Amino acid sequence: MTFDSKLLSELRAVVGAEGMVEGRASLKVYECDGYTLAKAAPDLVLLPQTTAQASEVIKLLAARRIPFVPRGAGTGVSGGCLPGDAHVMVGTSRMRAIRNLDLANRIAEVEAGVVNLEVTRAVEGRGFYYAPDPSSQSACTIGGNVAENSGGPHTLKYGVTVNHLLALEVVLPSGEVVWLDRCGEAPGFDLVGVFTGSEGTLGLVTAAKVRLMKKCEAVTTLLAVFPGVPEASRAVSAIIAAGIVPAALEMMDALVISAVEAAYRFGFPSDAGAVLIIELDGLAAGLDALAERVGQACIGEGASEIRRAADEAERALLWKSRKRAFGAMGRLTPNYCTQDGVVPRSRLPEIVAVITEVSARYGLRIANLMHAGDGNIHPLILYDESKPGEAERVVAAGDEILRACLDLGGSITGEHGIGVEKLGLMGAAFGTETLAAMADLRAAFNPLGLCNPNKVVPTDRSCVEVVRPRPRGGG
Amino acid sequence: MSGHGLPCVHCGLCLDTCPTYRLLGTEADSPRGRIYIMEAIESGELELDAQAATHLSRCLGCLACESACPSGVSYGRRIDEFRPQLAARAGTEGILKNAAQSLYTNPSLVDLGLRGAALLDRFGLGALRRQAPGLGLLPSASTSGATTDNDGADWKVTPLRRSRVHQPLRARLRVALLSGCVGDQMMPQINRDSVEVLQRNGIEVVEMPGQGCCGALALHSGRRDEAVALARANLAAFARIDDVDAFVTSAAGCGALVRDYDHLLAGTDVGEEAEAFSALCRDVCELLVEVGFKTPSRPLTSAGPVAYHDACHLLHARGIAAAPRKVCEVATGSAPVDLGENNLCCGSAGSYNLDHPVLAEQLGRRKAVLARQSPPTTVAVGNVGCMLQIARALELEGVSAVVRHPVQLLAAAYRQSAGRG
């Protein structure tokens, strides 16, 4: 798409030359995010530095009915910021101010481009932290977290992004700037809740007031080693059924363990079929007894060994191994697709059996990483995009697993969102009326469909097949 | 993909560790973006045009992305393989840059520059000189890393061997010092103090005639052949000396490349020698911690609060974080604090100051701004290039801290304990 020179000069006047990304070499990397099965480069990327600039450029685009796609750090894994039908991208990478730290009220007001971990870094010296901790937290942005309602290992006890938001500053697709506020339990509709997880289809988040948490007095992290995924899955239910809510309860299978071991040499047992990482926090008194009970529950389900992180350094390395497991897959395979589904946690053993069967039938290796406590599974399907037909098989295998999640009473996404990846499954997950209601809600914010068109909710306009994942020719 | 090590899976975890992405916010100026561009050029999808070259050449080579990369992508080697093409494109600008680099690696010309700088400083033009990208980096008397016991006046080029401590009578180890080129010219105290510290710890330091520049500046500027020639010359020099237990360097940049000689010279007739040599190379702090070193009887409290900054080629290229901090702690009696944003490059990055003065200065000033927040008396960093860069930034921002190599703090503590302070 080419733009008229008047528009370009108007946009440049707002964001400056350094906020305008044009030209093939500069734009190429924006053709996908962490979801690499579908690619399409934008023709223009705008990087405003302030909310006012963001509002101005979106007004200029809206006046010409030009759709745009918001982008944070491009770490999403469902293609939420794939340009698709929009040719312009509005990124928040230059909006990185921490506007205010209000420790007395435990609120941080940060711009959308602030990296998740930076919020914690800004306040950890005073004993606070920002709880949602997606695996990509060292790179992903708060704006992106709001768009995806990101979770992370510690959501089991502490909840996801929406549970930690107090107010949002957003630029609507018209260019109007509004604050959606739920501070002080404001009456009326919870528009923060509506906006969070809308994957950029309602507008561009430019800033957020987030809740800061006080660090717990004590924390301890256990590693339980199991012969296989089924035993580990049963142990998850046993722990929860014993009335214990760990801060985090994570599972990695043998394939994931081999990748992270290659990357970080933590010292996982090489013969482990699966491990659970179990984090307990709270008051120091009683934590040891709780750890003992968790250990017994694991042993009761067949754990061969229970280890406990000896110090903060060991604990940090254990979490690094877990949180960077996605990226570490590069050590096993040229390409992989991260799937994201949910089942009731008691049905983990059943979905694991499905995954094993699908893997064998499609001839694709599938590694399992799970926020097991939430029943949130992340099957990682390994493939090589240079092999003809393999990418299509990956998509089909992923679909089968997700449909099985629905059959077991679960969901097609736990935290990665629908993006373009799962658009085709929305019809299986929701009835026509529900989808129509979602479309109406979107239209209330985004009546002309200018902001992130053809994502999340399938519409008549979007031909689902067009945006279904397709391999890049030749690799 | 083959031949380049493990593939990039586009996860994006490298983005925020990249100094140019942090400054510019453009993804083509991130490691993921650069890998994308390199792959597209290799596949013929993109040409190495001016735009592509700009994004690639902005890379500092700090390797923070390699520390962050869970997939183990060998980004640094990969972009170094691309640099000859970038250099070939650079034309006149490249010739000027090479000339400037030659000045920096030529002892007598650096000496001339230092004298010129001192002259300007003496006539009160120091502040003005500091603003200039090329000349600005040359140390002034007050920041040249002068040892704490002689009030900073002695910054002139002093030959390495004129060390004031004798070789140990019965050495427990025998090492050779890689003296480097431009670093030894600009801040000779670092090598001198390294020798002193080693000797005071019962380590014999032997002469090594014929050694020269390690080749890092050439390699990272795309002059691979020149780098290989320099590496070969150094290997030949090292071959002429008798058995040593280790080759020691005080400069992180050189230390990273000499450790990589095995890769640089792999498959050549000297591949095996290079491998044996690389395995013996150590950073001076790394060696001290490895073999153990004495605690001075009186800690160097005069260094005041010490803020440590990680040199990229220690932290990211070598994974060395604890050893220099330990040296600072033993020298001063208390653990140093972090300067802040310790995984982010200060902008020194070899000759980056010459190629991208604006970005380099922005990164440098960031360090000075952090230093101002909890003013340390001393900023410790284990690489001469970073020391020069941070010293200049502190001066530009009007922050009064001095910059020292950790081994300088230890040497000063030893001298003070020996009653010479």
Side-chain angles (χ1 to χ4, degrees), chain A residues 48-66:
Chain A
Q49 270 187 309
T50 61
T51 302
Q53 284 184 7
S55 165
E56 281 305 307
V57 297
I58 290 171
K59 274 181 190 160
L60 287 168
L61 295 171
R64 289 171 172 78
R65 301 277 191 272
I66 297 173

Side-chain angles (χ1 to χ4, degrees), chain B residues 5 53 94 97 122 144 185 210 217 237 248 270-271 301 305 318 334 348 356 390:
Chain B
K97 175 184 152 183
R122 195 176 307 155
S144 65
Q185 292 291 122
L217 279 179
V248 180
V270 290
T301 47
R318 300 281 333 277
S334 53
S348 168
H356 301 279
I390 292 173

Side-chain angles (χ1 to χ4, degrees), chain A residues 221-239:
Chain A
T221 308
L222 307 177
L223 180 76
V225 182
F226 292 87
V229 177
E231 292 84 354
S233 305
R234 285 199 299 273
V236 169
S237 284
I239 292 167

Side-chain angles (χ1 to χ4, degrees), chain B residues 23-24 346 357-367 389:
Chain B
L23 291 183
L24 302 168
C346 67
V358 177
L359 291 173
E361 187 170 322
Q362 282 177 14
L363 288 168
R365 283 185 188 256
R366 250 177 121 109
K367 299 297 166 197
Q389 167 79 351

Side-chain angles (χ1 to χ4, degrees), chain A residues 339-470:
Chain A
Q339 263 310 344
D340 170 42
V342 184
V343 293
R345 85 173 64 82
S346 61
R347 308 195 76 171
L348 279 175
E350 289 165 73
I351 195 68
V352 167
V354 171
I355 294 168
T356 308
E357 190 274 324
V358 166
S359 168
R361 184 152 42 82
Y362 281 86
L364 293 167
R365 288 190 296 167
I366 302 182
N368 283 293
L369 193 63
M370 300 179 192
H371 302 307
D374 295 319
N376 186 183
I377 61 166
H378 288 315
L380 305 163
I381 310 176
L382 316 190
Y383 71 103
D384 182 346
E385 73 177 2
S386 65
K387 290 186 183 161
E390 196 148 296
E392 285 85 346
R393 293 219 311 286
V394 169
V395 173
D399 279 5
E400 274 203 41
I401 294 169
L402 294 176
R403 285 176 195 277
C405 288
L406 289 175
D407 293 343
L408 291 169
S411 159
I412 56 174
T413 175
E415 55 186 2
H416 293 176
I418 300 300
V420 294
E421 183 193 17
K422 294 174 180 173
L423 214 43
L425 289 164
M426 286 295 273
F430 299 100
T432 321
E433 282 164 23
T434 310
L435 289 176
M438 288 185 194
D440 286 348
L441 178 62
R442 177 173 61 188
F445 287 85
N446 185 13
L448 301 173
L450 295 178
C451 189
N452 213 7
N454 302 330
K455 305 280 170 63
V456 187
V457 185
T459 61
D460 299 339
R461 255 195 76 239
S462 70
C463 172
V464 167
E465 288 312 307
V466 173
V467 291
R468 285 300 286 164
R470 57 192 184 275

